[in-house]
């Protein structure tokens, strides 16, 4: 019997990142195969902070095991508010302006559903984090893409301005950026802010990598003049506290917007895991040193990986933030007789057991991504060393 699935669900395909991970795991499960390294999906392979885990365990023992308040436990909302004041310089009202959700992923979906109607347009930079397209499609919106150009991933101001019109309801920005590592500078942020105000559009900002900045400065869109009232700031636990599996994220937005977000969120997921919210609240009180150490740790990994990739023949674009490196690998495609990014990514899994992400998965019009491969470096030193051994074996 033919199965009729929704048109919306047919408008996007399975995450390429997860597909690469699956191919990688298939290979790993074959008998006699030397273990490989997965640098496709961005999750750390080292432990989350012990005191955060202890706090969550204590919460379970204390029987915090039922639904939390749908928009987030009070302790976590208070902690988000205090941390935001400390790092971003504004203090959102924990009672009215903060919503806790199941990761930045649900946060983005809830934000888009809360402010966008079918037929509205949403401006998205490309290369993009692959969820933004489906988020726009699921809400019935039309994504308008604006290119970030390598090597520094700048945008053309005229192109961005041309993407805005009377139908523009929102722009999604992600700084520090996945996959490029770009940290949007003040001039760029102000230019975006100007367009949002001119066209009365929302700015939904994904700041999940806010504490991983190696050069430049992380600017919170909500702090620019005239922007608080139209900005939805999203962040979460996954990256800063190395706990992608806890599924905790949050949204900060003025009261009326938060109200709409909270309704959507309630019917999407009811709420994030209650005891883990307590663990998260504990982690959010860590001293500044925690964040400095995190950033320093990742800077060392970035430098290691940059050197290795260059040595292995990739043209690597140095990231200013986040934990990915975009590369142009076209010379290597030629060398190994591979036609494009997808065939080369599969070839690397088959030949040396190294999983990466084909660049085209970050572009709507696949062409500019066809020469590119993305690596993540949020791994233990020994994992990166193993990746080095594999990569240097590529030619042999
Ligand atoms: C830009 C960006 N936003 C959101 C997410 C997902 O965050 P979460 O685990 O909080 O859903 C990721 C994960 O890779 C990401 O790169």
């Amino acid at each position: 019997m033919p199965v009729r699935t929704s048109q919306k669900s047919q408008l996007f395909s399975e995450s390429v990142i997860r597909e690469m991970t699956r191919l990688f795991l298939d290979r790993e499960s074959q008998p006699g195969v030397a273990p490989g390294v997965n640098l496709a999906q961005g999750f750390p392979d080292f432990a989350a902070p012990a005191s955060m885990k202890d706090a969550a365990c204590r919460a379970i023992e204390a029987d915090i095991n039922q639904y939390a308040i749908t928009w987030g436990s009070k302790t976590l909302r208070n902690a988000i508010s205090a941390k935001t004041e400390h790092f971003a310089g504004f203090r959102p009202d924990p009672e009215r302006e903060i919503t806790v959700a199941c990761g930045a992923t649900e946060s983005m979906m809830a934000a888009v559903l809360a402010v966008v109607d079918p037929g509205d347009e949403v401006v998205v930079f490309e290369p993009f984090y692959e969820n933004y397209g489906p988020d726009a499609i699921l809400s019935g919106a039309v994504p308008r893409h604006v290119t970030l150009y390598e090597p520094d991933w700048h945008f053309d101001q005229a192109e961005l301005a041309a993407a805005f019109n009377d139908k523009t309801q929102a722009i999604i920005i992600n700084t520090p950026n996945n996959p490029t590592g770009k940290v949007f500078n003040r001039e760029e942020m102000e230019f975006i802010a100007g367009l949002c105000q001119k066209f009365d559009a929302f700015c939904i900002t994904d700041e999940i990598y806010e504490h991983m900045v190696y050069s430049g400065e992380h600017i919170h869109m909500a702090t620019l003049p005239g922007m608080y009232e139209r900005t939805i700031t999203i962040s979460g636990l996954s990256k800063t506290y190395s706990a992608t599996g806890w599924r905790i994220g949050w949204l900060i937005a003025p009261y009326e917007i938060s109200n709409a977000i909270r309704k959507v969120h309630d019917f999407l997921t009811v709420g994030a895991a209650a005891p883990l919210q307590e663990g998260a609240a504990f982690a959010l009180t860590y001293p500044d040193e925690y964040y400095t150490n995190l950033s320093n740790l990742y800077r060392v990994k970035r430098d290691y990986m940059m050197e290795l990739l260059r040595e292995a023949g990739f043209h690597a674009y140095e990231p200013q933030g986040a934990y990915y490196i975009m590369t142009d690998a076209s010379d290597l495609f030629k060398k190994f007789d591979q036609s494009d990014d997808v065939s080369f990514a599969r070839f690397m899994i088959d030949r040396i057991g190294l999983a990466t992400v084909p660049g085209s998965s970050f572009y709507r019009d696949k062409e500019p991504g066809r020469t590119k491969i993305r690596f993540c470096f949020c791994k233990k030193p020994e994992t990166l060393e193993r990746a080095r051994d594999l990569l240097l074996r590529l030619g042999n």
Side-chain angles (χ1 to χ4, degrees), residues 17 41-43 101-108 128-132 174-179 206-209 234-239 243-250 322-324 374:
I17 299 179
Q41 211 172 349
F43 59 85
C102 297
T105 302
E106 193 224 334
S107 302
M108 183 57 74
F128 43 70
Y129 172 56
E130 57 171 5
N131 283 31
Y132 303 151
N174 169 220
T175 183
N177 183 262
N178 171 14
D206 180 343
E207 304 186 14
I208 189 101
Y209 298 103
I234 293 175
S235 193
L237 206 71
S238 285
K239 312 290 174 174
T244 57
W246 282 30
R247 314 305 309 127
I248 291 189
W250 52 84
Y323 52 44
Y324 306 93
R374 189 200 75 176

Side-chain angles (χ1 to χ4, degrees), residues 163-201:
F164 276 73
N165 61 60
D166 292 345
K167 290 193 190 145
T168 308
Q169 179 67 357
I171 179 170
I172 296 178
I173 61 170
N174 169 220
T175 183
N177 183 262
N178 171 14
T180 65
K182 175 185 176 64
V183 174
F184 283 71
N185 65 33
R186 190 165 292 278
E187 188 196 338
E188 292 170 324
M189 296 288 274
E190 283 173 355
F191 188 73
I192 296 168
L195 288 171
C196 288
Q197 291 172 48
K198 181 170 172 197
F199 289 90
D200 195 17

Side-chain angles (χ1 to χ4, degrees), residues 48-65 75 237 246 273-286:
S51 58
M52 176 179 86
K53 293 188 287 191
D54 289 345
C57 291
R58 282 196 303 276
I60 292 178
E61 291 297 342
D63 239 331
I64 302 185
N65 293 311
T75 30
L237 206 71
W246 282 30
L276 301 185
Q277 292 192 45
E278 300 311 313
F282 184 87
L284 263 65
T285 64
Y286 287 157

Side-chain angles (χ1 to χ4, degrees), residues 69-114:
I69 300 169
T70 177
W71 48 83
S73 89
K74 199 171 166 52
T75 30
L76 180 52
R77 280 180 289 115
N78 286 343
I80 293 167
S81 176
K83 176 173 173 287
T84 305
E85 182 174 35
H86 182 68
F87 284 105
F90 65 98
R91 188 180 180 91
D93 178 352
E95 294 309 322
R96 294 155 39 106
E97 297 184 316
I98 295 175
T99 308
V100 175
C102 297
T105 302
E106 193 224 334
S107 302
M108 183 57 74
M109 188 74 253
V112 176
L113 286 171

